[in-house]
Amino acid sequence: MGGVPERIIRESHAMEAVIAEAERAARTEAKVLITGESGVGKEVVARLVHARSGRAGRSLVVVNCAGVPDELLESELFGHMRGSFTDAVRDKAGLLEMADGGTILLDEVGEMSLRMQALLLRFLENGEIQRVGAPQPSQTVNVRVIAATNRDLSECVKRRQFRQDLFYRLNVLALDVPPLRHRGPDIAPLLRHYLTAFAIQYRVPAPRLSADAMYRLQLYRWPGNVRELRNLVESLVARFPGQRIDLAQLPWPVQQAAPLDLDRSSTRPTGEILWDAIRDGGSFWSVVYAPFMSRDITRDDVRFVVAKGLEHTGGNYTTLVPVLNLGNRDHKRFLNFLRKHDCNEPARPSRTLGLQRPAA
Ligand SMILES: Nc1ncnc2c1ncn2[C@@H]1O[C@H](COP(=O)(O)OP(=O)(O)OP(=O)(O)O)[C@@H](O)[C@H]1O
Ligand SMILES: [Mg+2]
């Protein structure tokens, strides 16, 4: 990984909002704390903040704070003097010095020991660098600090695993990257992006996903987020170049993905179940469109979901895009679908006034 940020693929409103926040953050010098589950794209977002900032001409240095013994992390960050420990055969600059004028990403900052937290706090207060083994600080540097973690740092503060003063210092601008399962519209474009990218890298024709495979991949919960998706696509390209990928070629957990329990004996109306799945981040296309096209749900179910959405938007069809997780470029396709299948007349009249028909 690493390098200049590749294209950040996104169609979801949620991710679009994160990118907009990151671009706003880039125009400031404030510290940024990026949170989110493993593999959601925290580093990608950090790289965007750096690349869009006035520091873009200087380096972005990434330090992984997890799993590194204290002494090593201290010397990595602050540098060391010759003879300060056995392997220190010459003076060495730390990463904070190397990032002077640029940005440092402290990845997995939640894993830092309390001792390292104290050293980091001291640095954040005055920008002074004291190399390991040096009697006093040698210089001050100007580094923008971005921290990332998949932990809930305020919880760590409560449990006294993370210093409160450090938390407040790092958490000036907060960017939370949502998990992929709450960004339904991003899944299909990410799949297409990586199918093409790995096909080019391996110099093979890209595999094609069957409609059923695509559907299941969109229902799957992606516990490992974008990283898991990327790895899965890489293995599909390697194993099935130029071939058609159906359900059977997908890993077992993906084949099993069926969060919508459309059990007919259930007393819950289907529309309610669909609506919950949308509120949970599923996209209209995978939650409603796909089962409608395969006749698993009825026109009234579709109308129910649309009516629910319209209740949220005060009857406005345009602002349904984020509510139904449609994807930012899909609005026209959505209206065409409603018109074609006669679904734009909600099943129940909405209680909200001002219900509009889509523009013809
Ligand atoms: N929106 C996106 N478009 C394209 N690629 C992405 C996107 N988000 C993440 N990736 C890719 O997914 C992988 C994981 O992203 P990244 O390393 O930024 O996640 P992370 O949140 O820092 O994960 P971890 O918590 O494990 O460090 C990387 O290969 C990255 O390039
Ligand atoms: Mg990371």
Side-chain angles (χ1 to χ4, degrees):
M1 277 160 275
V4 186
E6 62 245 72
R7 219 146 51 85
I8 301 186
I9 308 295
R10 79 281 188 171
E11 286 286 324
S12 69
H13 195 70
M15 199 59 196
E16 207 59 73
V18 172
I19 303 286
E21 277 293 318
E23 282 175 347
R24 268 194 292 280
R27 281 179 236 125
T28 75
E29 286 276 283
K31 292 179 194 60
V32 183
L33 179 64
I34 305 176
T35 49
E37 287 178 13
S38 178
V40 285
K42 295 187 293 297
E43 184 167 335
V44 168
V45 169
R47 287 184 182 281
L48 179 74
V49 173
H50 173 72
R52 294 272 195 278
S53 78
R55 295 169 179 265
R58 299 301 194 84
S59 34
L60 169 80
V61 174
V62 182
V63 190
N64 191 332
C65 305
V68 187
D70 256 26
E71 301 71 40
L72 197 60
L73 185 57
E74 182 181 355
S75 123
E76 259 198 7
L77 279 177
F78 298 100
H80 59 244
M81 305 303 286
R82 188 164 75 108
S84 55
F85 52 91
T86 327
D87 292 333
V89 288
R90 58 179 68 88
D91 292 359
K92 188 164 173 284
L95 294 171
L96 285 166
E97 273 177 64
M98 292 186 204
D100 197 7
T103 309
I104 196 160
L105 169 60
L106 301 172
D107 207 359
E108 314 223 31
V109 75
E111 315 302 313
M112 267 191 178
S113 71
L114 287 166
R115 194 182 82 85
M116 277 310 296
Q117 291 176 33
L119 291 176
L120 176 60
L121 186 67
R122 194 179 66 187
F123 167 74
L124 294 178
E125 271 160 8
N126 54 26
E128 282 179 0
I129 302 279
Q130 182 167 357
R131 290 185 180 180
V132 177
Q136 72 251 328
S138 55
Q139 59 165 317
T140 51
V141 293
N142 174 348
V143 176
R144 182 189 199 167
V145 175
I146 302 179
T149 180
N150 52 24
R151 292 201 183 211
D152 180 346
L153 281 192
S154 54
E155 267 304 308
C156 298
V157 168
K158 274 187 211 144
R159 290 201 298 266
R160 297 183 180 275
Q161 293 159 349
F162 203 84
R163 294 178 66 122
Q164 186 166 40
D165 44 8
L166 180 59
F167 173 61
Y168 287 134
R169 274 211 179 252
L170 295 174
N171 191 31
V172 180
L173 299 177
L175 289 178
D176 184 50
V177 188
L180 189 54
R181 65 183 167 282
H182 292 166
R183 287 153 49 188
D186 291 347
I187 296 175
L190 278 166
L191 290 166
R192 285 194 291 270
H193 168 74
Y194 281 121
L195 279 169
T196 311
F198 283 116
I200 290 171
Q201 187 181 324
Y202 290 154
R203 299 166 190 270
V204 295
R208 296 170 317 269
L209 297 172
S210 74
D212 209 13
M214 182 57 120
Y215 177 45
R216 254 3 124 87
L217 286 161
Q218 288 180 283
L219 290 181
Y220 179 58
R221 308 289 290 167
W222 297 106
N225 294 298
V226 185
R227 179 171 299 112
E228 180 186 10
L229 181 149
R230 185 191 142 113
N231 291 343
L232 170 59
V233 174
E234 180 171 11
S235 97
L236 292 176
V237 173
R239 289 158 59 217
F240 309 109
Q243 295 171 44
R244 183 186 138 95
I245 293 174
D246 216 336
L247 220 47
Q249 280 74 47
L250 296 177
W252 184 241
V254 180
Q255 292 188 30
Q256 293 297 96
L260 284 188
D261 181 14
L262 296 176
D263 178 4
R264 298 296 165 202
S265 62
S266 153
T267 50
R268 277 198 85 207
T270 303
E272 297 265 1
I273 298 172
L274 299 169
W275 175 245
D276 283 353
I278 296 238
R279 298 312 284 166
D280 209 22
S283 87
F284 177 85
W285 304 111
S286 59
V287 172
V288 177
Y289 173 84
F292 177 71
M293 296 313 274
S294 58
R295 297 169 190 248
D296 288 329
I297 63 173
T298 67
R299 177 171 292 134
D300 276 347
D301 298 329
V302 180
R303 288 172 170 166
F304 179 89
V305 171
V306 174
K308 276 288 200 188
L310 287 169
E311 277 178 27
H312 276 252
T313 64
N316 186 328
Y317 275 85
T318 311
T319 46
L320 277 180
V321 169
V323 173
L324 299 183
N325 298 320
L326 282 169
N328 291 329
R329 276 178 265 153
D330 289 344
H331 192 239
K332 217 169 175 171
R333 182 178 159 217
F334 171 68
L335 294 182
N336 286 338
F337 164 76
L338 295 189
R339 205 170 311 127
K340 178 157 175 221
H341 297 281
D342 194 23
C343 292
N344 45 10
E345 197 68 62
R348 282 186 333 194
S350 162
R351 262 166 274 127
T352 334
L353 294 173
L355 196 70
Q356 290 166 216
R357 298 285 198 90

